[in-house]
Amino acid sequence: MQSIPEVRQLTGNGTRNWGDRAFRSVALACGLAVFVILGLIAFTSTNKAWPAFSHEGLGFVTTNRWVPNENHFGALALIYGTAMSAVLALLLSVPVSFGIALFVTEFASPKVAKLVTSLIDLLAAVPSVVYGLWATLALAPNVQGLYKALHSATASIPVLNSLFGGQSQGYSLMTASIVLAIMITPIITSLSREALATVPESDKAGALALGATQWEAIRVAVFPKARGGLTAAVLLGLGRAMGETIAVAMVIGSSAQITLHIFSPAATMAGTVASQWGEASGIHQAALVGLGVVLFIFTIAINSSARFIVARSDRKLAS
Amino acid sequence: MAALMWMLGSVIVAFIPLLFLIGYVVNKGYAVIVRNFPHFWNDALPTVTTEAGGGMRPAIMGTLLMTGTAAAMAIPLGIMAAIYLNEYGKNQRLARALRFFALVMSGVPSIVMGLFIFTIYTVNSGFSGFGGAMALGCLMLPLVIRTSEEMLKLVPNELRQASLALGCPQWRTVLTVILPAAAPGVISGAMLAVARAAGETAPLLFTIGLVYRTNFDLFNGPNTALPSQIYANATAGPFPAPQERAWGAALTLILIVMLFSIAGRIVAARFSKIRQS
């Protein structure tokens, strides 16, 4: 076959005339805006939060007393609340998201798959404050009874009685996690759908031909091949859950404590920034910006590793 | 059998909250909007949140103005960045790094963007709609870059070669051949980013303040938006008036978000029709 010249060969690498050079530079400058913004976020926020960081030192992330009017800013309980609510949300959301993704890629007819996909995408289009509103006024008051019932039913069972112990409140870690789970389901579903779609049809056919049931074929042929993409989907869902602010602030009960009781109130970093910002000034405000910095570092780390995993598994599939 | 039950169960479990949520918002919001029509969309906000009456006009205007301004900043920037990635940078190291960081940026929580604009702008200039617009623009930028690049990638290489073979310089090829060919997808992608930004509350918490009358001046004085109003009214305590107002504002916001997505689709369909004829 005759080879077709690359665009770059035809244009002499885009440096043929001043118009091209100018246009290329403008486009490059726009691209560099991403670096500039990310760099500025890291620099200016850290700068603004410095009074709180230097006041607390490492204690900002390792101690657990967050009492603004006594100038104590130890964010450990908030970090715990952030991690705990996000992990609980993942536990609720991942099985459902993988199930939907499998249904859409492996089972449903194209028409049904399209319908299900667009309905799930509808969940992603709902603004987070609307989730918060619904959860505050409709969900939290109604789940309290269920929490209380679970609490008294498990009072004598060893592990469960500490998990379901403490106060049983509608405005609690669990309610926040339920809302988070609903909010991250669309993104985990669509990313894991993409991952599952990359598994070659022949792999599944091979497993089925060897006498595997559909379930076994999914387990031995589909999941291992898509592992990278699925891991990334979960990580990106985790990042999204940790950064979610408004809906969580509205239902988590805003009480900075490290507790195993999932029906008790807690607090997250993002939620605390939102709910304390109005009355904050001076070093308190710096501390809240500091929470933003910690959150920024966490989410950047999680997102980078997710993208890295995707890139690596793409390379593996390509070779 | 087990696999099938898991799949079907998952679909059902995901639809339950969707039904409840949409049902609640439409039911409660519709009642509020219709009972006070057209005042709910046309009056200024009440100065005392716990009292009944007043409307959402300042918030609706604020949402439209700020998202519009954010779009006017982020969409051209994002499309140009995508042009750099797909037409110039391609697989060079800088372009790969940019692509990676655009993806990472799309995962940065919106509250961090709000705090960022607060520290570089609001601290010096005070609350203003423009601060909110910048925060929303920062959120939209990585989404626009990603969808635009995907769409530019789909433009067949033959179009580029044909245009260049006719002696057209590359920048004119991009602007007159490649962008129009990719326009439907680019526009609907951008509209999705706009819809996403219109529903954001956290970036506005630190940047726009609060106002009871419509403020058309984005650079001077505080502003307000529908998400901020939903948040303020929903957390105002156990009073019926603010709660009703929050439901009405929620339905209004969902309608606006839907309008953006539908508008994106219509424009996209229009463009592809022109291309075919």
Side-chain angles (χ1 to χ4, degrees):
Chain A
M1 209 178 94
Q2 204 179 353
S3 73
I4 304 166
E6 276 289 311
V7 171
R8 199 181 313 162
Q9 287 164 273
L10 287 169
T11 58
N13 210 4
T15 50
R16 204 171 43 168
N17 62 36
W18 66 269
D20 267 344
R21 255 176 288 167
F23 187 71
R24 188 196 152 101
S25 315
V26 172
L28 176 60
C30 291
L32 292 177
V34 170
F35 286 136
V36 173
I37 293 174
L38 283 176
L40 274 178
I41 292 178
F43 178 73
T44 60
S45 308
T46 313
N47 199 27
K48 179 87 188 155
W50 199 252
F53 286 160
S54 62
H55 174 70
E56 289 290 338
L58 252 190
F60 191 79
V61 288
T62 56
T63 62
N64 132 31
R65 258 170 67 76
W66 184 271
V67 189
N69 44 22
E70 292 172 23
N71 273 354
H72 281 295
F73 301 104
L76 192 62
L78 306 176
I79 295 173
Y80 173 84
T82 306
M84 190 71 177
S85 60
V87 168
L88 266 178
L90 281 184
L91 287 179
L92 294 172
S93 167
V94 167
V96 173
S97 305
F98 282 4
I100 300 169
L102 277 176
F103 177 76
V104 169
T105 49
E106 309 291 324
F107 187 78
S109 68
K111 240 184 196 164
V112 176
K114 207 174 166 201
L115 179 75
V116 171
T117 310
S118 49
L119 280 174
I120 295 294
D121 285 344
L122 210 61
L123 277 176
V126 176
S128 78
V129 69
V130 175
Y131 278 109
L133 171 70
W134 172 71
T136 332
L137 298 183
L139 182 66
N142 286 322
V143 288
Q144 189 161 0
L146 181 68
Y147 293 171
K148 287 223 159 87
L150 273 171
H151 169 73
S152 41
T154 55
S156 56
I157 305 171
V159 179
L160 291 181
N161 64 1
S162 64
L163 210 54
F164 296 159
Q167 324 134 273
S168 304
Q169 283 193 11
Y171 298 93
S172 63
L173 200 54
M174 188 62 197
T175 310
S177 298
I178 293 174
V179 179
L180 281 176
I182 302 171
M183 297 176 75
I184 61 176
T185 294
I187 182 164
I188 302 183
T189 304
S190 79
L191 290 168
S192 46
R193 206 179 61 216
E194 278 169 30
L196 293 174
T198 59
V199 178
E201 200 59 43
S202 54
D203 285 26
K204 276 170 275 174
L208 291 173
L210 288 170
T213 63
Q214 193 178 21
W215 175 226
E216 286 162 344
I218 289 171
R219 234 181 37 207
V220 298
V222 178
F223 274 161
K225 264 271 158 76
R227 187 182 292 144
L230 294 176
T231 317
V234 173
L235 279 177
L236 290 172
L238 179 71
R240 183 64 67 82
M242 287 175 64
E244 181 46 52
T245 309
I246 294 296
V248 172
M250 288 165 88
V251 295
I252 200 164
S254 300
S255 153
Q257 56 171 335
I258 296 182
T259 172
L260 264 183
H261 310 323
I262 58 173
F263 297 153
S264 292
T268 67
M269 290 189 277
T272 304
V273 179
S275 53
Q276 295 188 354
W277 186 262
E279 66 240 28
S281 60
I283 194 169
H284 186 194
Q285 199 176 59
L288 293 180
V289 178
L291 289 180
V293 173
V294 176
L295 194 59
F296 181 67
I297 294 169
F298 277 17
T299 46
I300 290 273
I302 290 172
N303 273 282
S304 317
S305 38
R307 299 301 176 187
F308 190 70
I309 290 170
V310 172
R312 204 182 50 186
S313 67
D314 277 357
R315 266 206 303 277
K316 223 187 275 169
L317 277 179
S319 64
Chain B
M1 210 43 215
L4 181 58
M5 270 166 68
W6 174 27
M7 294 179 205
L8 286 176
S10 303
V11 174
I12 294 166
V13 166
F15 281 163
I16 292 170
L18 182 66
L19 284 178
F20 269 103
L21 184 85
I22 300 290
Y24 252 95
V25 174
V26 170
N27 195 14
K28 297 247 182 185
Y30 180 78
V32 175
I33 293 171
V34 164
R35 185 157 9 98
N36 306 315
F37 195 80
H39 302 289
F40 190 79
W41 285 346
N42 206 25
D43 285 6
L45 288 156
T47 43
V48 181
T49 320
T50 48
E51 268 173 22
M56 281 293 152
R57 186 180 147 92
I60 296 172
M61 287 301 168
T63 288
L64 294 178
L65 279 173
M66 283 187 281
T67 1
T69 312
M73 293 187 290
I75 293 177
L77 204 63
I79 293 179
M80 283 303 280
I83 289 174
Y84 171 76
L85 289 177
N86 198 57
E87 307 297 324
Y88 294 100
K90 296 190 178 133
N91 257 328
Q92 292 165 16
R93 189 171 297 161
L94 177 63
R96 286 210 310 266
L98 259 177
R99 216 169 269 133
F100 183 81
F101 279 105
L103 281 171
V104 169
M105 187 178 170
S106 67
V108 171
S110 59
I111 190 169
V112 173
M113 301 292 187
L115 286 170
F116 164 58
I117 298 297
F118 172 81
T119 55
I120 64 160
Y121 183 78
T122 314
V123 160
N124 305 316
S125 314
F127 289 134
S128 74
F130 188 65
M134 282 199 291
L136 297 180
C138 286
L139 273 178
M140 289 165 61
L141 182 63
L143 303 175
V144 175
I145 294 178
R146 198 171 49 185
T147 51
S148 304
E149 201 203 347
E150 290 298 317
M151 292 306 139
L152 291 174
K153 230 184 258 169
L154 294 179
V155 176
N157 232 0
E158 284 78 2
L159 277 182
R160 293 183 182 89
Q161 288 157 349
S163 169
L164 293 168
L166 289 171
C168 197
Q170 195 173 4
W171 66 274
R172 284 197 62 185
T173 305
V174 169
L175 289 181
T176 58
V177 177
I178 300 170
L179 259 190
V186 169
I187 291 170
S188 58
M191 274 312 195
L192 280 182
V194 172
R196 169 102 189 277
E200 280 290 346
T201 320
L204 306 180
L205 277 177
F206 319 103
T207 49
I208 65 168
L210 182 66
V211 72
Y212 304 103
R213 311 195 153 272
T214 312
N215 182 1
F216 285 106
D217 188 346
L218 280 179
F219 294 94
N220 289 306
N223 219 308
T224 191
L226 281 168
S228 320
Q229 284 303 320
I230 300 171
Y231 182 55
N233 280 291
T235 50
F239 306 102
Q243 290 186 356
E244 282 196 350
R245 215 175 285 129
W247 287 116
L251 182 58
T252 312
L253 180 59
I254 287 187
L255 287 177
I256 288 180
V257 168
M258 266 171 54
L259 217 66
F260 281 137
S261 343
I262 294 171
R265 270 180 211 175
I266 291 175
V267 176
R270 256 259 170 82
F271 259 98
S272 43
K273 226 180 260 163
I274 294 173
R275 237 180 355 150
Q276 278 160 8
S277 66

